[in-house]
Amino acid sequence: MVHMDGDLKSNNIIGIDIGYGFTKTRGQNGVKIFNTAVTPTVPVETFGTITPITVNDKKFLVGDEALKEGFGLIETRTSSFIGSDSWIAVLGQALHINKFDIFRKGVIVLGIPPGHYDNVYAEELTKAIKKSSIICNKKNYNLLLAVIKIIPQGAGVFFSYSSLDKDADKKDVAIIDIGHHTIDMVLFSKGKYVEKATRSFPFGISVILDDIAKAFYRKHKLAIGHEKSLEILKKGHLTIFEEEYILDELQGMLSSYAEQITSLSENFFEGLSYYSPDVGIISGGGALALKDLIKIRYKLFIMDNPETLNAVGFWRYGMTIAEE
């Protein structure tokens, strides 16, 4: 399998990792990340200052505009979100900010949790996307001619890793992807996705973010959401109106969460009795925050920018499709 950056301006390719918390994309202008917040409540009085996305005649606000201008955010941490009009609105936002060219043949690669993945469902989602009307800023994203590939989340991590290891296709590579809502565990054996080895648990980083928000309110009587909780997770503190707030119990909360991830991960590795993984990779938004706390007796490799590995890997996979 060939992996190359090539002349990005000549390639109409995009990798999109629609997460339950943040959507990560890799297009011709590099990596872009935005909040997966989405709402169908579009205030009429602000039409002049916002850019709604219309999907099948329904208007949505996505990302920062949904957080700032809308209300009644759609709960993304549900299986019904995938494939819905609101999910497709997030896809539309990804195409819009990456300036995806609808007038040239393009390749779009998306991922869904491996626990939801099978070939039939992937085909159903592809058809739903192609037949949907997506309009943003008066531009109609007609995707009938686009090549759309839907693959399991975690697969992107493998494609990112294989760009660094020329022998990746000769190895058994196990991946633990700590996402916002789920922890996904997948295995690639000699370059092939092993479907029966897949594990997926609703125990992603949002679990600890919920706990941080609750603990922060108990101590400081201030309500914060996941975005601010994530800031505390990464920095150890939060600054509001130039005043610094800390959470004394943060380390204990992280240690408890990491212990549970350790247990799930070891169970996954021990279940791979037929295989003997050569490489173990931990990725996702929680990888850096937890890397020193996850005490698995197997050596795990953490790549740079672990939260964007899927999106970048999807894009790399799209490159190989474009070369065919």
Side-chain angles (χ1 to χ4, degrees):
M1 184 176 293
V2 178
H3 298 280
M4 55 181 289
D5 288 1
D7 179 5
L8 297 185
K9 293 183 179 179
S10 68
N11 293 295
N12 198 30
I13 301 165
I14 184 171
I16 306 174
D17 178 14
I18 300 180
Y20 293 99
F22 293 89
T23 294
K24 286 75 66 176
T25 69
R26 173 57 159 108
Q28 66 178 23
N29 295 313
V31 172
K32 296 180 184 294
I33 302 174
F34 61 90
N35 199 298
T36 307
V38 56
T39 176
T41 308
V42 181
V44 176
E45 66 272 15
T46 59
F47 270 174
T49 59
I50 60 177
T51 308
I53 294 177
T54 303
V55 177
N56 300 325
D57 298 323
K58 301 174 187 174
K59 283 187 170 65
F60 297 90
L61 294 183
V62 178
D64 287 344
E65 289 187 342
L67 291 171
K68 295 175 182 177
E69 303 286 352
F71 56 92
L73 296 178
I74 290 172
E75 176 56 74
T76 62
R77 290 181 292 176
T78 63
S79 58
S80 61
F81 175 62
I82 300 172
S84 66
D85 286 343
S86 54
W87 184 82
I88 293 175
V90 176
L91 166 62
Q93 175 79 347
L95 298 176
H96 172 64
I97 67 174
N98 283 278
K99 296 180 172 56
F100 187 79
D101 190 347
I102 58 174
F103 298 106
R104 290 192 295 129
K105 183 178 179 180
V107 178
I108 301 170
V109 181
L110 299 114
I112 60 174
H116 292 87
Y117 184 86
D118 62 48
N119 291 333
V120 174
Y121 185 46
E123 183 62 27
E124 289 175 355
L125 283 178
T126 300
K127 290 179 180 178
I129 293 170
K130 282 181 173 286
K131 74 177 184 181
S132 290
S133 168
I134 307 172
I135 302 173
C136 182
N137 201 23
K138 298 181 180 180
K139 188 173 184 179
N140 186 356
Y141 287 87
N142 186 327
L143 301 178
L144 284 174
L145 298 180
V147 176
I148 300 175
K149 293 290 184 180
I150 297 176
I151 62 178
Q153 286 167 342
V157 178
F158 173 76
F159 294 127
S160 286
Y161 173 74
S162 63
S163 69
L164 303 177
D165 184 351
K166 61 181 177 56
D167 293 323
D169 288 349
K170 301 175 183 177
K171 299 177 179 179
D172 287 353
V173 180
I175 298 164
I176 298 174
D177 187 25
I178 306 175
H180 188 79
H181 178 50
T182 60
I183 293 180
D184 300 318
M185 303 175 181
V186 300
L187 176 72
F188 275 77
S189 179
K190 310 301 183 289
K192 302 296 184 182
Y193 175 69
V194 182
E195 189 168 344
K196 70 176 183 179
T198 296
R199 300 288 184 273
S200 189
F201 304 93
F203 199 66
I205 200 70
S206 64
V207 171
I208 189 67
L209 296 182
D210 283 339
D211 289 344
I212 289 173
K214 291 174 184 176
F216 193 84
Y217 184 80
R218 284 196 304 269
K219 180 174 182 179
H220 300 295
K221 298 300 183 286
L222 293 171
I224 60 173
H226 279 187
E227 197 161 0
K228 296 299 183 183
S229 296
L230 186 60
E231 187 175 336
I232 294 174
L233 180 62
K234 290 180 177 179
K235 298 180 180 178
H237 65 271
L238 180 64
T239 301
I240 303 176
F241 291 120
E242 299 183 347
E243 184 174 351
E244 186 175 286
Y245 294 84
I246 62 174
L247 203 56
D248 296 328
E249 60 263 55
L250 178 62
Q251 198 63 26
M253 295 164 62
L254 285 174
S255 295
S256 176
Y257 179 64
E259 285 179 10
Q260 295 177 76
I261 291 179
T262 297
S263 177
L264 291 172
S265 301
E266 290 196 339
N267 182 264
F268 168 63
F269 286 127
E270 289 170 4
L272 301 176
S273 56
Y274 180 78
Y275 303 90
S276 180
D278 303 289
V279 179
I281 300 173
I282 184 169
S283 64
L288 291 179
L290 300 170
K291 66 176 181 178
D292 296 325
L293 298 173
I294 299 177
K295 305 299 184 182
I296 301 174
R297 58 177 175 268
Y298 307 99
K299 184 177 180 180
L300 293 178
F301 177 48
I302 300 180
M303 296 169 60
D304 292 338
N305 305 309
E307 72 278 9
T308 62
L309 290 178
N310 268 313
V312 173
F314 295 161
W315 172 79
R316 290 188 177 279
Y317 180 66
M319 293 288 285
T320 67
I321 294 173
E323 292 166 3
E324 292 177 352

